[in-house]
């Protein structure tokens, strides 16, 4: 057998994510018929597609982005040097990537798929079907410590952006973009910054609801009437997102097999309720868990 030489061109530096698809390990172990296996495969394919590139979403995409899918997890790697960062720099380029991860996470939850993950930066080697990566090992360890359904950053990765020169040069020292992008989770004396997916998903909500509403907006006789249509539609879509998120948390909580798993969704409900209070303060949108 000819020994293949190490090729340094297969190495890159970037951000790696290890994303666990919660509950899928048991689903795979229990699968014993074609229909069940097919459903699992399609769900894994769905998660992969949400984290992978969709050319309809943007014209700029990091080169050599990798999204690998396995039985109960996905692995993604985004190199620091890319078409996006060439134009907008690494700070804004990766804030955009974190935003996309947040949208992928909420879309998975809408399909009853909860995720827990870790993100870190470092070297990545990929040659065919071989992957060796410092950042992959670290992101796997972070995922295991994060404990609840969040996608957490290593402290080093968070600090890389918190101390990024663009904070001063572009944002005049303001950290508001980091405050919006990340939230804090504390457990057993440890603190993790995680992608604030619910707030970010809410920020992406539009006011349009259906064709009839769009027609009424176009035919409105005054700016005030158009503003009212937009306001009502926006509130309706915000409430729909909150209600969907609440429904899926409750479903997952009721399916949880033990108190340890239930505690994860209790935390998620508290996260949901904090965001509800900050956004609308509507008690009807609160997530109240009961067996």
């Amino acid at each position: 057998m000819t020994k293949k030489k190490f090729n340094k061109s297969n190495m890159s530096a970037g951000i790696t994510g290890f994303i666990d698809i919660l509950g899928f390990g048991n689903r795979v172990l229990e699968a014993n018929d074609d229909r069940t296996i097919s459903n699992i495969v399609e769900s894994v394919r769905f998660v992969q597609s949400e984290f992978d590139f969709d050319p309809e979403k943007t014209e700029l995409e990091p080169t050599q982005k990798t999204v690998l899918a396995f039985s109960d997890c996905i692995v993604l790697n985004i190199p620091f040097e890319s078409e996006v960062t060439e134009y907008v720099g690494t700070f804004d380029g990766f804030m955009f990537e974190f935003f996309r991860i947040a949208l992928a996470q909420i879309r998975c939850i809408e399909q009853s798929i909860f995720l827990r993950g870790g993100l870190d930066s470092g070297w990545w080697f990929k040659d065919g079907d071989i992957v060796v990566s410092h950042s992959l090992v670290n992101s796997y360890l972070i995922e295991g410590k994060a404990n609840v359904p969040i996608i957490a950053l290593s402290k080093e990765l968070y600090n890389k952006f918190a101390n990024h020169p663009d904070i001063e040069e572009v944002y005049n020292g303001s950290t508001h973009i980091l405050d919006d992008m990340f939230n804090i989770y504390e457990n057993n004396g440890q603190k993790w910054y995680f992608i604030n997916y619910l707030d970010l998903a809410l920020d992406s909500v539009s006011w349009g609801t259906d064709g009839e509403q769009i027609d009424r907006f176009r035919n409105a006789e005054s700016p005030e009437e158009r503003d009212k249509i937009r306001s009502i539609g926006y509130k309706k879509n915000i409430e729909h997102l909150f209600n969907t998120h609440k429904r899926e948390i409750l479903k997952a909580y009721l399916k949880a097999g033990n108190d340890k798993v239930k505690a994860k969704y209790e935390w998620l409900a508290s996260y949901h309720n904090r965001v509800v209070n900050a956004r609308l303060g509507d008690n009807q949108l609160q997530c109240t868990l009961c067996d």
Side-chain angles (χ1 to χ4, degrees), residues 67-98:
V67 182
L68 307 174
F70 302 94
S71 296
D72 61 350
C73 67
I74 64 166
V75 171
L76 68 149
N77 177 263
I78 310 168
F80 283 130
E81 295 183 5
S82 69
E83 186 179 346
V84 168
T85 58
E86 182 180 343
Y87 284 93
V88 302
T90 54
F91 186 85
D92 282 347
F94 275 92
M95 290 302 110
F96 172 65
E97 286 298 333
F98 292 140

PDB file of all heavy atoms in Angstrom, residues 67-98:
ATOM      1  N   VAL A  67     -20.172  20.984   5.486  1.00  0.00           N
ATOM      2  CA  VAL A  67     -21.225  20.564   6.407  1.00  0.00           C
ATOM      3  C   VAL A  67     -21.389  19.055   6.238  1.00  0.00           C
ATOM      4  O   VAL A  67     -21.926  18.584   5.236  1.00  0.00           O
ATOM      5  CB  VAL A  67     -22.559  21.279   6.132  1.00  0.00           C
ATOM      6  CG1 VAL A  67     -23.601  20.835   7.154  1.00  0.00           C
ATOM      7  CG2 VAL A  67     -22.396  22.787   6.180  1.00  0.00           C
ATOM      8  N   LEU A  68     -20.901  18.304   7.220  1.00  0.00           N
ATOM      9  CA  LEU A  68     -20.959  16.846   7.188  1.00  0.00           C
ATOM     10  C   LEU A  68     -22.087  16.366   8.089  1.00  0.00           C
ATOM     11  O   LEU A  68     -22.268  16.887   9.193  1.00  0.00           O
ATOM     12  CB  LEU A  68     -19.628  16.244   7.665  1.00  0.00           C
ATOM     13  CG  LEU A  68     -18.368  16.737   6.959  1.00  0.00           C
ATOM     14  CD1 LEU A  68     -17.122  16.168   7.636  1.00  0.00           C
ATOM     15  CD2 LEU A  68     -18.391  16.353   5.481  1.00  0.00           C
ATOM     16  N   ALA A  69     -22.840  15.380   7.645  1.00  0.00           N
ATOM     17  CA  ALA A  69     -23.962  14.850   8.429  1.00  0.00           C
ATOM     18  C   ALA A  69     -23.702  13.402   8.814  1.00  0.00           C
ATOM     19  O   ALA A  69     -23.218  12.604   7.996  1.00  0.00           O
ATOM     20  CB  ALA A  69     -25.260  14.957   7.629  1.00  0.00           C
ATOM     21  N   PHE A  70     -24.052  13.062  10.058  1.00  0.00           N
ATOM     22  CA  PHE A  70     -23.882  11.708  10.572  1.00  0.00           C
ATOM     23  C   PHE A  70     -25.197  11.262  11.226  1.00  0.00           C
ATOM     24  O   PHE A  70     -26.209  11.938  11.118  1.00  0.00           O
ATOM     25  CB  PHE A  70     -22.721  11.668  11.566  1.00  0.00           C
ATOM     26  CG  PHE A  70     -21.422  12.127  10.968  1.00  0.00           C
ATOM     27  CD1 PHE A  70     -21.022  13.447  11.088  1.00  0.00           C
ATOM     28  CD2 PHE A  70     -20.615  11.250  10.255  1.00  0.00           C
ATOM     29  CE1 PHE A  70     -19.834  13.886  10.524  1.00  0.00           C
ATOM     30  CE2 PHE A  70     -19.423  11.675   9.691  1.00  0.00           C
ATOM     31  CZ  PHE A  70     -19.025  12.993   9.827  1.00  0.00           C
ATOM     32  N   SER A  71     -25.178  10.147  11.904  1.00  0.00           N
ATOM     33  CA  SER A  71     -26.409   9.566  12.443  1.00  0.00           C
ATOM     34  C   SER A  71     -27.176  10.514  13.351  1.00  0.00           C
ATOM     35  O   SER A  71     -28.397  10.619  13.261  1.00  0.00           O
ATOM     36  CB  SER A  71     -26.083   8.289  13.232  1.00  0.00           C
ATOM     37  OG  SER A  71     -25.557   7.301  12.385  1.00  0.00           O
ATOM     38  N   ASP A  72     -26.460  11.195  14.241  1.00  0.00           N
ATOM     39  CA  ASP A  72     -27.138  12.056  15.222  1.00  0.00           C
ATOM     40  C   ASP A  72     -26.422  13.379  15.424  1.00  0.00           C
ATOM     41  O   ASP A  72     -26.550  14.009  16.469  1.00  0.00           O
ATOM     42  CB  ASP A  72     -27.279  11.330  16.558  1.00  0.00           C
ATOM     43  CG  ASP A  72     -25.937  10.948  17.165  1.00  0.00           C
ATOM     44  OD1 ASP A  72     -24.905  11.069  16.469  1.00  0.00           O
ATOM     45  OD2 ASP A  72     -25.910  10.528  18.334  1.00  0.00           O
ATOM     46  N   CYS A  73     -25.666  13.818  14.419  1.00  0.00           N
ATOM     47  CA  CYS A  73     -24.952  15.078  14.552  1.00  0.00           C
ATOM     48  C   CYS A  73     -24.547  15.597  13.178  1.00  0.00           C
ATOM     49  O   CYS A  73     -24.569  14.862  12.188  1.00  0.00           O
ATOM     50  CB  CYS A  73     -23.710  14.935  15.436  1.00  0.00           C
ATOM     51  SG  CYS A  73     -22.422  13.892  14.696  1.00  0.00           S
ATOM     52  N   ILE A  74     -24.197  16.866  13.143  1.00  0.00           N
ATOM     53  CA  ILE A  74     -23.544  17.422  11.964  1.00  0.00           C
ATOM     54  C   ILE A  74     -22.272  18.134  12.403  1.00  0.00           C
ATOM     55  O   ILE A  74     -22.143  18.564  13.564  1.00  0.00           O
ATOM     56  CB  ILE A  74     -24.445  18.393  11.175  1.00  0.00           C
ATOM     57  CG1 ILE A  74     -24.781  19.628  12.005  1.00  0.00           C
ATOM     58  CG2 ILE A  74     -25.707  17.716  10.680  1.00  0.00           C
ATOM     59  CD1 ILE A  74     -25.366  20.747  11.174  1.00  0.00           C
ATOM     60  N   VAL A  75     -21.343  18.241  11.492  1.00  0.00           N
ATOM     61  CA  VAL A  75     -20.095  18.956  11.711  1.00  0.00           C
ATOM     62  C   VAL A  75     -19.966  20.002  10.617  1.00  0.00           C
ATOM     63  O   VAL A  75     -20.124  19.685   9.430  1.00  0.00           O
ATOM     64  CB  VAL A  75     -18.884  18.001  11.672  1.00  0.00           C
ATOM     65  CG1 VAL A  75     -17.574  18.785  11.671  1.00  0.00           C
ATOM     66  CG2 VAL A  75     -18.928  17.028  12.845  1.00  0.00           C
ATOM     67  N   LEU A  76     -19.740  21.253  11.002  1.00  0.00           N
ATOM     68  CA  LEU A  76     -19.550  22.284   9.996  1.00  0.00           C
ATOM     69  C   LEU A  76     -18.240  23.008  10.216  1.00  0.00           C
ATOM     70  O   LEU A  76     -17.755  23.112  11.348  1.00  0.00           O
ATOM     71  CB  LEU A  76     -20.706  23.285   9.996  1.00  0.00           C
ATOM     72  CG  LEU A  76     -20.894  24.206  11.187  1.00  0.00           C
ATOM     73  CD1 LEU A  76     -21.509  25.525  10.731  1.00  0.00           C
ATOM     74  CD2 LEU A  76     -21.812  23.570  12.222  1.00  0.00           C
ATOM     75  N   ASN A  77     -17.654  23.445   9.121  1.00  0.00           N
ATOM     76  CA  ASN A  77     -16.410  24.208   9.190  1.00  0.00           C
ATOM     77  C   ASN A  77     -16.480  25.348   8.195  1.00  0.00           C
ATOM     78  O   ASN A  77     -16.836  25.156   7.030  1.00  0.00           O
ATOM     79  CB  ASN A  77     -15.205  23.323   8.887  1.00  0.00           C
ATOM     80  CG  ASN A  77     -13.911  24.118   8.880  1.00  0.00           C
ATOM     81  OD1 ASN A  77     -13.430  24.518   7.834  1.00  0.00           O
ATOM     82  ND2 ASN A  77     -13.358  24.346  10.055  1.00  0.00           N
ATOM     83  N   ILE A  78     -16.153  26.554   8.668  1.00  0.00           N
ATOM     84  CA  ILE A  78     -16.162  27.741   7.821  1.00  0.00           C
ATOM     85  C   ILE A  78     -14.784  28.389   7.902  1.00  0.00           C
ATOM     86  O   ILE A  78     -14.397  28.908   8.954  1.00  0.00           O
ATOM     87  CB  ILE A  78     -17.233  28.748   8.280  1.00  0.00           C
ATOM     88  CG1 ILE A  78     -18.584  28.059   8.456  1.00  0.00           C
ATOM     89  CG2 ILE A  78     -17.345  29.900   7.290  1.00  0.00           C
ATOM     90  CD1 ILE A  78     -19.613  28.898   9.177  1.00  0.00           C
ATOM     91  N   PRO A  79     -14.015  28.372   6.812  1.00  0.00           N
ATOM     92  CA  PRO A  79     -12.676  28.974   6.836  1.00  0.00           C
ATOM     93  C   PRO A  79     -12.731  30.477   7.094  1.00  0.00           C
ATOM     94  O   PRO A  79     -13.681  31.151   6.700  1.00  0.00           O
ATOM     95  CB  PRO A  79     -12.127  28.679   5.429  1.00  0.00           C
ATOM     96  CG  PRO A  79     -12.956  27.563   4.906  1.00  0.00           C
ATOM     97  CD  PRO A  79     -14.315  27.739   5.520  1.00  0.00           C
ATOM     98  N   PHE A  80     -11.692  30.997   7.738  1.00  0.00           N
ATOM     99  CA  PHE A  80     -11.626  32.431   7.974  1.00  0.00           C
ATOM    100  C   PHE A  80     -11.499  33.211   6.664  1.00  0.00           C
ATOM    101  O   PHE A  80     -12.065  34.290   6.521  1.00  0.00           O
ATOM    102  CB  PHE A  80     -10.445  32.784   8.887  1.00  0.00           C
ATOM    103  CG  PHE A  80     -10.695  32.488  10.337  1.00  0.00           C
ATOM    104  CD1 PHE A  80      -9.780  31.762  11.076  1.00  0.00           C
ATOM    105  CD2 PHE A  80     -11.836  32.950  10.969  1.00  0.00           C
ATOM    106  CE1 PHE A  80     -10.003  31.498  12.418  1.00  0.00           C
ATOM    107  CE2 PHE A  80     -12.074  32.688  12.312  1.00  0.00           C
ATOM    108  CZ  PHE A  80     -11.146  31.960  13.032  1.00  0.00           C
ATOM    109  N   GLU A  81     -10.735  32.673   5.736  1.00  0.00           N
ATOM    110  CA  GLU A  81     -10.540  33.359   4.467  1.00  0.00           C
ATOM    111  C   GLU A  81     -11.616  32.903   3.490  1.00  0.00           C
ATOM    112  O   GLU A  81     -11.699  31.719   3.148  1.00  0.00           O
ATOM    113  CB  GLU A  81      -9.149  33.062   3.903  1.00  0.00           C
ATOM    114  CG  GLU A  81      -8.015  33.614   4.765  1.00  0.00           C
ATOM    115  CD  GLU A  81      -6.662  33.372   4.143  1.00  0.00           C
ATOM    116  OE1 GLU A  81      -6.612  32.853   3.000  1.00  0.00           O
ATOM    117  OE2 GLU A  81      -5.645  33.688   4.784  1.00  0.00           O
ATOM    118  N   SER A  82     -12.458  33.848   3.052  1.00  0.00           N
ATOM    119  CA  SER A  82     -13.576  33.498   2.195  1.00  0.00           C
ATOM    120  C   SER A  82     -13.955  34.684   1.328  1.00  0.00           C
ATOM    121  O   SER A  82     -13.443  35.796   1.494  1.00  0.00           O
ATOM    122  CB  SER A  82     -14.784  33.087   3.041  1.00  0.00           C
ATOM    123  OG  SER A  82     -15.303  34.225   3.722  1.00  0.00           O
ATOM    124  N   GLU A  83     -14.874  34.463   0.415  1.00  0.00           N
ATOM    125  CA  GLU A  83     -15.365  35.547  -0.425  1.00  0.00           C
ATOM    126  C   GLU A  83     -16.053  36.608   0.416  1.00  0.00           C
ATOM    127  O   GLU A  83     -15.925  37.809   0.158  1.00  0.00           O
ATOM    128  CB  GLU A  83     -16.331  34.971  -1.464  1.00  0.00           C
ATOM    129  CG  GLU A  83     -16.795  35.982  -2.494  1.00  0.00           C
ATOM    130  CD  GLU A  83     -17.730  35.371  -3.522  1.00  0.00           C
ATOM    131  OE1 GLU A  83     -17.801  34.130  -3.593  1.00  0.00           O
ATOM    132  OE2 GLU A  83     -18.392  36.142  -4.232  1.00  0.00           O
ATOM    133  N   VAL A  84     -16.804  36.171   1.446  1.00  0.00           N
ATOM    134  CA  VAL A  84     -17.486  37.121   2.319  1.00  0.00           C
ATOM    135  C   VAL A  84     -16.479  37.982   3.068  1.00  0.00           C
ATOM    136  O   VAL A  84     -16.580  39.214   3.080  1.00  0.00           O
ATOM    137  CB  VAL A  84     -18.408  36.379   3.314  1.00  0.00           C
ATOM    138  CG1 VAL A  84     -18.890  37.337   4.400  1.00  0.00           C
ATOM    139  CG2 VAL A  84     -19.593  35.781   2.588  1.00  0.00           C
ATOM    140  N   THR A  85     -15.505  37.356   3.725  1.00  0.00           N
ATOM    141  CA  THR A  85     -14.560  38.123   4.543  1.00  0.00           C
ATOM    142  C   THR A  85     -13.670  39.015   3.693  1.00  0.00           C
ATOM    143  O   THR A  85     -13.182  40.041   4.161  1.00  0.00           O
ATOM    144  CB  THR A  85     -13.702  37.189   5.409  1.00  0.00           C
ATOM    145  OG1 THR A  85     -12.998  36.266   4.561  1.00  0.00           O
ATOM    146  CG2 THR A  85     -14.562  36.417   6.389  1.00  0.00           C
ATOM    147  N   GLU A  86     -13.457  38.649   2.439  1.00  0.00           N
ATOM    148  CA  GLU A  86     -12.679  39.503   1.538  1.00  0.00           C
ATOM    149  C   GLU A  86     -13.371  40.840   1.334  1.00  0.00           C
ATOM    150  O   GLU A  86     -12.725  41.884   1.215  1.00  0.00           O
ATOM    151  CB  GLU A  86     -12.491  38.795   0.193  1.00  0.00           C
ATOM    152  CG  GLU A  86     -11.656  39.591  -0.807  1.00  0.00           C
ATOM    153  CD  GLU A  86     -11.493  38.861  -2.121  1.00  0.00           C
ATOM    154  OE1 GLU A  86     -11.740  37.635  -2.164  1.00  0.00           O
ATOM    155  OE2 GLU A  86     -11.119  39.533  -3.115  1.00  0.00           O
ATOM    156  N   TYR A  87     -14.698  40.831   1.331  1.00  0.00           N
ATOM    157  CA  TYR A  87     -15.465  42.047   1.095  1.00  0.00           C
ATOM    158  C   TYR A  87     -15.810  42.784   2.380  1.00  0.00           C
ATOM    159  O   TYR A  87     -15.789  44.016   2.416  1.00  0.00           O
ATOM    160  CB  TYR A  87     -16.758  41.728   0.330  1.00  0.00           C
ATOM    161  CG  TYR A  87     -16.539  41.470  -1.141  1.00  0.00           C
ATOM    162  CD1 TYR A  87     -16.351  40.173  -1.601  1.00  0.00           C
ATOM    163  CD2 TYR A  87     -16.527  42.510  -2.061  1.00  0.00           C
ATOM    164  CE1 TYR A  87     -16.140  39.926  -2.954  1.00  0.00           C
ATOM    165  CE2 TYR A  87     -16.328  42.277  -3.408  1.00  0.00           C
ATOM    166  CZ  TYR A  87     -16.130  40.978  -3.857  1.00  0.00           C
ATOM    167  OH  TYR A  87     -15.919  40.744  -5.181  1.00  0.00           O
ATOM    168  N   VAL A  88     -16.181  42.059   3.426  1.00  0.00           N
ATOM    169  CA  VAL A  88     -16.703  42.723   4.629  1.00  0.00           C
ATOM    170  C   VAL A  88     -15.846  42.508   5.865  1.00  0.00           C
ATOM    171  O   VAL A  88     -16.141  43.064   6.922  1.00  0.00           O
ATOM    172  CB  VAL A  88     -18.147  42.262   4.928  1.00  0.00           C
ATOM    173  CG1 VAL A  88     -19.059  42.554   3.756  1.00  0.00           C
ATOM    174  CG2 VAL A  88     -18.199  40.776   5.296  1.00  0.00           C
ATOM    175  N   GLY A  89     -14.787  41.687   5.765  1.00  0.00           N
ATOM    176  CA  GLY A  89     -13.945  41.417   6.916  1.00  0.00           C
ATOM    177  C   GLY A  89     -14.439  40.243   7.739  1.00  0.00           C
ATOM    178  O   GLY A  89     -15.565  39.776   7.572  1.00  0.00           O
ATOM    179  N   THR A  90     -13.591  39.770   8.641  1.00  0.00           N
ATOM    180  CA  THR A  90     -13.944  38.577   9.414  1.00  0.00           C
ATOM    181  C   THR A  90     -15.011  38.848  10.450  1.00  0.00           C
ATOM    182  O   THR A  90     -15.792  37.954  10.786  1.00  0.00           O
ATOM    183  CB  THR A  90     -12.701  37.981  10.107  1.00  0.00           C
ATOM    184  OG1 THR A  90     -12.063  39.009  10.882  1.00  0.00           O
ATOM    185  CG2 THR A  90     -11.716  37.426   9.089  1.00  0.00           C
ATOM    186  N   PHE A  91     -15.081  40.064  10.971  1.00  0.00           N
ATOM    187  CA  PHE A  91     -16.080  40.330  12.016  1.00  0.00           C
ATOM    188  C   PHE A  91     -17.491  40.270  11.442  1.00  0.00           C
ATOM    189  O   PHE A  91     -18.306  39.442  11.847  1.00  0.00           O
ATOM    190  CB  PHE A  91     -15.834  41.690  12.681  1.00  0.00           C
ATOM    191  CG  PHE A  91     -16.746  41.951  13.846  1.00  0.00           C
ATOM    192  CD1 PHE A  91     -16.419  41.485  15.110  1.00  0.00           C
ATOM    193  CD2 PHE A  91     -17.940  42.656  13.686  1.00  0.00           C
ATOM    194  CE1 PHE A  91     -17.267  41.707  16.192  1.00  0.00           C
ATOM    195  CE2 PHE A  91     -18.782  42.880  14.751  1.00  0.00           C
ATOM    196  CZ  PHE A  91     -18.449  42.406  16.011  1.00  0.00           C
ATOM    197  N   ASP A  92     -17.793  41.134  10.500  1.00  0.00           N
ATOM    198  CA  ASP A  92     -19.139  41.136   9.923  1.00  0.00           C
ATOM    199  C   ASP A  92     -19.433  39.841   9.180  1.00  0.00           C
ATOM    200  O   ASP A  92     -20.570  39.355   9.193  1.00  0.00           O
ATOM    201  CB  ASP A  92     -19.306  42.324   8.969  1.00  0.00           C
ATOM    202  CG  ASP A  92     -19.536  43.631   9.703  1.00  0.00           C
ATOM    203  OD1 ASP A  92     -19.811  43.581  10.918  1.00  0.00           O
ATOM    204  OD2 ASP A  92     -19.430  44.694   9.074  1.00  0.00           O
ATOM    205  N   GLY A  93     -18.404  39.273   8.542  1.00  0.00           N
ATOM    206  CA  GLY A  93     -18.606  38.017   7.818  1.00  0.00           C
ATOM    207  C   GLY A  93     -19.082  36.903   8.730  1.00  0.00           C
ATOM    208  O   GLY A  93     -20.006  36.158   8.390  1.00  0.00           O
ATOM    209  N   PHE A  94     -18.504  36.814   9.916  1.00  0.00           N
ATOM    210  CA  PHE A  94     -18.895  35.739  10.818  1.00  0.00           C
ATOM    211  C   PHE A  94     -20.112  36.098  11.661  1.00  0.00           C
ATOM    212  O   PHE A  94     -20.848  35.196  12.089  1.00  0.00           O
ATOM    213  CB  PHE A  94     -17.715  35.292  11.681  1.00  0.00           C
ATOM    214  CG  PHE A  94     -16.864  34.284  10.970  1.00  0.00           C
ATOM    215  CD1 PHE A  94     -15.778  34.673  10.213  1.00  0.00           C
ATOM    216  CD2 PHE A  94     -17.195  32.944  11.003  1.00  0.00           C
ATOM    217  CE1 PHE A  94     -15.023  33.745   9.529  1.00  0.00           C
ATOM    218  CE2 PHE A  94     -16.448  32.002  10.321  1.00  0.00           C
ATOM    219  CZ  PHE A  94     -15.357  32.406   9.579  1.00  0.00           C
ATOM    220  N   MET A  95     -20.375  37.371  11.871  1.00  0.00           N
ATOM    221  CA  MET A  95     -21.650  37.728  12.489  1.00  0.00           C
ATOM    222  C   MET A  95     -22.798  37.266  11.583  1.00  0.00           C
ATOM    223  O   MET A  95     -23.829  36.767  12.052  1.00  0.00           O
ATOM    224  CB  MET A  95     -21.744  39.230  12.733  1.00  0.00           C
ATOM    225  CG  MET A  95     -20.828  39.770  13.815  1.00  0.00           C
ATOM    226  SD  MET A  95     -21.027  39.025  15.457  1.00  0.00           S
ATOM    227  CE  MET A  95     -19.486  38.090  15.571  1.00  0.00           C
ATOM    228  N   PHE A  96     -22.600  37.417  10.281  1.00  0.00           N
ATOM    229  CA  PHE A  96     -23.584  36.932   9.315  1.00  0.00           C
ATOM    230  C   PHE A  96     -23.739  35.418   9.415  1.00  0.00           C
ATOM    231  O   PHE A  96     -24.853  34.880   9.382  1.00  0.00           O
ATOM    232  CB  PHE A  96     -23.147  37.345   7.909  1.00  0.00           C
ATOM    233  CG  PHE A  96     -23.967  36.748   6.799  1.00  0.00           C
ATOM    234  CD1 PHE A  96     -25.306  37.071   6.647  1.00  0.00           C
ATOM    235  CD2 PHE A  96     -23.396  35.875   5.887  1.00  0.00           C
ATOM    236  CE1 PHE A  96     -26.059  36.525   5.614  1.00  0.00           C
ATOM    237  CE2 PHE A  96     -24.141  35.324   4.862  1.00  0.00           C
ATOM    238  CZ  PHE A  96     -25.471  35.647   4.723  1.00  0.00           C
ATOM    239  N   GLU A  97     -22.613  34.702   9.567  1.00  0.00           N
ATOM    240  CA  GLU A  97     -22.679  33.240   9.685  1.00  0.00           C
ATOM    241  C   GLU A  97     -23.384  32.820  10.964  1.00  0.00           C
ATOM    242  O   GLU A  97     -24.174  31.867  10.962  1.00  0.00           O
ATOM    243  CB  GLU A  97     -21.273  32.636   9.635  1.00  0.00           C
ATOM    244  CG  GLU A  97     -20.650  32.635   8.260  1.00  0.00           C
ATOM    245  CD  GLU A  97     -21.432  31.799   7.269  1.00  0.00           C
ATOM    246  OE1 GLU A  97     -22.127  30.845   7.676  1.00  0.00           O
ATOM    247  OE2 GLU A  97     -21.347  32.105   6.065  1.00  0.00           O
ATOM    248  N   PHE A  98     -23.138  33.507  12.069  1.00  0.00           N
ATOM    249  CA  PHE A  98     -23.822  33.177  13.327  1.00  0.00           C
ATOM    250  C   PHE A  98     -25.322  33.421  13.195  1.00  0.00           C
ATOM    251  O   PHE A  98     -26.138  32.668  13.741  1.00  0.00           O
ATOM    252  CB  PHE A  98     -23.247  34.002  14.481  1.00  0.00           C
ATOM    253  CG  PHE A  98     -21.837  33.662  14.842  1.00  0.00           C
ATOM    254  CD1 PHE A  98     -20.924  34.653  15.163  1.00  0.00           C
ATOM    255  CD2 PHE A  98     -21.399  32.346  14.846  1.00  0.00           C
ATOM    256  CE1 PHE A  98     -19.618  34.337  15.497  1.00  0.00           C
ATOM    257  CE2 PHE A  98     -20.087  32.021  15.174  1.00  0.00           C
ATOM    258  CZ  PHE A  98     -19.191  33.020  15.503  1.00  0.00           C
TER     259      PHE A  98
END
